[in-house]
């Protein structure tokens, strides 16, 4: 491992543990400043409604996105959030355009630059947006625009899909057919798509392994 | 102390957290840029990555802003601003707030004025997201070590392995688009959006290759996404 990668891991650990502390300080600051500690049962009951699914998805995301985003990119992306709807597609597109592969140091660098840029731009758009919220709120909340924002995932993955599927169409067939059939058969799974990402990966890996052994890819 | 979800104190907390995230992003950006130069990546390539990603980010960032507006109705602006700038996503924050409100038997139709309700929601949002932050540094070495091992053992299979990861993720989200296909015409909207975006990308790809329009590479993803979103805005009133 190069010196850069070793240091990336060390810096990454420092930043992410600091981030965990900063993020935990938000509710603590609210409780201390307003002297308003909620009852443990209220927090537990609230948590019970979301934690089982979100903790599972969280653990799955760490395992599946780390190899895709690389060390620096992962440390950054898990602090700045919006992984599937922005950071992962941004990193994938950037690596594709720069013609570098993840798992190489060039891929690591491009992925990190893409995720950092995306985080900075998101933060700036939100900061500016918050200050002119009264002005832009009627525009963003306009009924005409609602379907556009509701459909951001298909709009994003349509383009991304073409790039990846056309380049690796043999490897794409099995996971794509499997997922389309699965979602058509069980539409309610859409709400837990995060859990299905590793299933898609396993199908892709299984089919890929068979094709590799047979010399098809 | 009288509580107000839009108080100056909460704005200060938000500003602090957001500055922290900005600092972290800038730190990693500068390091990666320098390393890229050392590895022989051209300044033009690095700059192109930054510009393309920045342009690509604007539309999704505006959708996060819509998320802030949604949550601000009952949480005020500072907390949603923090949550959607850092670690959060609207798909998580809204259920977390709703779940806590249900547990406390209160409605989320108006601005929260009880600091205990507010802090309970803030705790649930924070604790619900913590595992991904804590697990990342714990699992990182193992996962990345595995990737390196795989690549060095059999580099061709290593490449197929990485591509399969991407394709598995993309397939799950592409498949999800078909979830509502049986629920009538409205269920077809996401599919049309997907097709519009995919078709635009295919046209961009042809223009880049056949007409040598290299500059389009930088914006092809953004253009496809925006065409998809415009398609959604146009067809929804017609179909839905």
């Amino acid at each position: 491992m190069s010196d850069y990668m070793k240091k990336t891991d060390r810096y990454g650990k420092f930043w992410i543990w600091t981030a965990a502390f900063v993020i935990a300080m938000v509710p603590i600051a609210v409780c201390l400043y307003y002297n308003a500690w909620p009852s443990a049962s209220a927090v537990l009951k609230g948590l019970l409604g979301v934690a089982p699914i979100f903790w599972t998805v969280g653990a799955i995301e760490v395992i599946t996105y780390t190899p895709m985003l690389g060390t620096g990119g992962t440390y950054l992306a898990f602090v700045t959030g919006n992984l599937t709807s922005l950071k992962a597609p941004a990193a994938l597109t950037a690596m594709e355009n720069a013609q570098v592969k993840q798992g190489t140091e060039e891929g690591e660098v491009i992925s990190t630059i893409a995720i950092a840029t995306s985080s900075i731009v998101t933060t700036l758009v939100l900061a500016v947006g918050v200050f002119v919220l009264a002005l832009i709120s009627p525009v963003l909340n306009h009924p005409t625009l609602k379907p556009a924002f509701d459909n951001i995932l298909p709009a994003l993955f349509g383009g991304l899909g073409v790039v990846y599927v056309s380049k690796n169409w043999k490897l794409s067939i099995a996971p794509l057919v499997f997922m389309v059939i699965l979602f058509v058969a069980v539409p309610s799974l859409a709400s837990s798509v995060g859990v299905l990402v590793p299933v898609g990966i396993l199908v892709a890996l299984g089919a890929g392994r068979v094709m590799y052994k047979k010399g098809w890819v | 102390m009288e509580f107000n979800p839009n108080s100056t104190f909460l704005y200060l907390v938000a500003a602090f957290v957001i500055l922290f995230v900005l600092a972290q992003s800038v730190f990693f950006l500068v390091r990666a840029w320098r390393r890229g130069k050392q590895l022989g990546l051209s300044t033009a390539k690095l700059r192109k990555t930054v510009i393309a990603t920045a342009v690509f980010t604007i539309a999704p960032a505006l959708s996060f802003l819509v998320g802030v507006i949604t949550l601000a109705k009952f949480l005020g602006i500072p907390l949603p601003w923090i949550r959607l700038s850092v670690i959060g996503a609207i798909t998580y924050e809204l259920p977390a707030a709703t779940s806590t409100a249900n547990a406390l038997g209160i409605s989320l139709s108006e601005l929260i004025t009880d600091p205990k309700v507010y802090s309970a929601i803030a705790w649930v949002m924070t604790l619900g997201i913590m595992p991904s932050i804590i697990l990342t540094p714990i699992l990182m070495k193992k996962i990345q070590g595995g990737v390196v091992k795989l690549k060095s053992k059999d580099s061709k299979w290593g490449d197929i392995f990485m591509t399969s990861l991407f394709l598995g993720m993309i397939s799950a989200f592409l498949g999800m688009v078909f979830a509502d296909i049986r629920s009538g015409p409205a269920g077809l909207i996401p599919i049309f959006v997907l097709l519009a975006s995919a078709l635009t990308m295919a046209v961009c790809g042809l223009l880049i290759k056949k007409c040598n329009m290299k500059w389009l590479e930088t914006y092809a993803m953004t253009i496809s996404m925006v065409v998809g979103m415009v398609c959604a805005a146009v067809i929804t009133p017609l179909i839905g």
Side-chain angles (χ1 to χ4, degrees):
Chain A
M1 202 189 285
S2 73
D3 193 42
Y4 171 79
M5 291 301 288
K6 272 185 206 152
K7 277 193 178 153
T8 302
D9 189 58
R10 214 173 306 147
Y11 286 132
K13 282 205 170 81
F14 166 78
W15 278 100
I16 206 159
W17 284 118
T18 316
F21 175 76
V22 169
I23 289 159
M25 279 314 286
V26 173
I28 293 175
V30 170
C31 292
L32 287 174
Y33 188 78
Y34 291 105
N35 192 22
W37 293 88
S39 69
S41 75
V43 175
L44 281 178
K45 272 187 205 156
L47 209 51
L48 206 62
V50 287
I53 182 85
F54 285 112
W55 286 1
T56 315
V57 172
I60 288 171
E61 280 187 345
V62 174
I63 297 164
T64 49
Y65 285 112
T66 302
M68 291 189 219
L69 305 179
T71 306
T74 303
Y75 277 130
L76 201 52
F78 275 95
V79 172
T80 56
N82 288 306
L83 273 135
T84 41
S85 54
L86 180 59
K87 303 295 156 58
L92 262 61
T93 308
M95 285 189 281
E96 193 65 43
N97 283 342
Q99 288 162 340
V100 294
K101 283 188 172 157
Q102 189 50 280
T104 64
E105 219 172 304
E106 285 82 2
E108 163 81 31
V109 162
I110 294 292
S111 165
T112 306
I113 290 179
I115 291 170
T117 307
S118 190
S119 303
I120 294 169
V121 173
T122 307
T123 313
L124 294 179
V125 168
L126 284 179
V128 172
V130 157
F131 282 101
V132 292
L133 205 58
L135 270 173
I136 55 167
S137 179
V139 180
L140 290 177
N141 265 340
H142 198 276
T144 317
L145 281 180
K146 191 175 182 299
F149 288 124
D150 285 347
N151 282 291
I152 205 154
L153 278 180
L156 224 158
F157 278 91
L160 201 60
V162 166
V163 174
Y164 268 82
V165 172
S166 64
K167 278 201 169 156
N168 314 282
W169 64 272
K170 283 183 198 162
L171 285 172
S172 317
I173 297 170
L176 262 180
V177 170
F178 177 85
M179 279 299 161
V180 171
I181 292 176
L182 184 70
F183 278 105
V184 172
V186 196
S188 60
L189 286 174
S191 56
S192 45
V193 61
V195 185
L196 290 170
V197 171
V199 178
I201 290 174
L202 286 177
V203 173
L205 276 177
R209 187 74 197 170
V210 171
M211 285 192 261
Y212 175 61
K213 287 278 172 197
K214 291 201 183 264
W216 294 350
V217 281
Chain B
M1 185 87 52
E2 200 177 316
F3 175 73
N4 167 11
N6 285 314
S7 71
T8 313
F9 171 73
L10 291 171
Y11 269 106
L12 286 175
V13 172
F16 175 77
V17 175
I18 284 151
L19 281 176
F20 171 83
V21 179
L22 268 181
Q24 182 182 5
S25 305
V26 171
F27 176 84
F28 277 97
L29 178 62
V30 172
R31 277 192 83 239
W33 183 286
R34 284 188 187 147
R35 183 62 187 161
K37 298 284 286 178
Q38 280 173 4
L39 289 170
L41 294 171
S42 67
T43 309
K45 197 175 234 180
L46 297 176
R47 194 181 294 146
K48 196 176 137 189
T49 302
V50 170
I51 294 173
T53 313
V55 175
F56 170 69
T57 301
I58 294 173
L62 285 175
S63 82
F64 305 155
L65 198 56
V66 175
V68 173
I69 297 171
T70 308
L71 294 169
K73 282 168 198 153
F74 51 92
L75 285 174
I77 291 169
L79 187 60
W81 183 23
I82 296 176
R83 301 298 310 182
L84 293 184
S85 300
V86 189
I87 62 170
I90 187 74
T91 43
Y92 168 70
E93 310 302 340
L94 200 55
T98 316
S99 165
T100 318
N102 287 345
L104 292 166
I106 58 139
S107 143
L108 289 180
S109 55
E110 52 188 39
L111 200 64
I112 290 168
T113 48
D114 182 347
K116 283 191 178 172
V117 172
Y118 184 88
S119 65
I121 291 177
W123 272 113
V124 172
M125 286 177 162
T126 306
L127 293 174
I129 211 79
M130 271 300 173
S132 11
I133 291 211
I134 293 170
L135 283 175
T136 307
I138 296 174
L139 296 178
M140 178 64 80
K141 256 214 170 112
K142 252 193 188 137
I143 297 172
Q144 289 299 64
V147 172
V148 172
K149 221 182 192 172
L150 197 81
K151 284 244 163 190
S152 58
K153 233 169 112 187
D154 180 347
S155 78
K156 175 128 199 268
W157 168 243
D159 281 346
I160 296 174
F161 186 93
M162 294 305 290
T163 309
S164 298
L165 285 184
F166 295 142
L167 285 173
M169 178 189 80
I170 292 170
S171 306
F173 285 94
L174 287 180
M176 183 183 74
V177 172
F178 293 83
D180 294 325
I181 199 167
R182 291 185 294 164
S183 66
L188 295 175
I189 294 170
I191 299 173
F192 286 130
V193 175
L194 178 89
L195 291 176
S197 164
L199 200 69
T200 312
M201 182 50 107
V203 171
C204 287
L206 280 178
L207 290 174
I208 293 167
K209 270 197 192 134
K210 304 280 176 207
C211 307
N212 215 9
M213 292 166 73
K214 270 277 172 200
W215 60 270
L216 196 59
E217 245 174 25
T218 315
Y219 306 104
M221 252 326 272
T222 310
I223 296 170
S224 311
M225 178 173 57
V226 172
V227 168
M229 289 169 76
V230 170
C231 165
V234 173
I235 62 170
T236 303
L238 300 175
I239 297 181

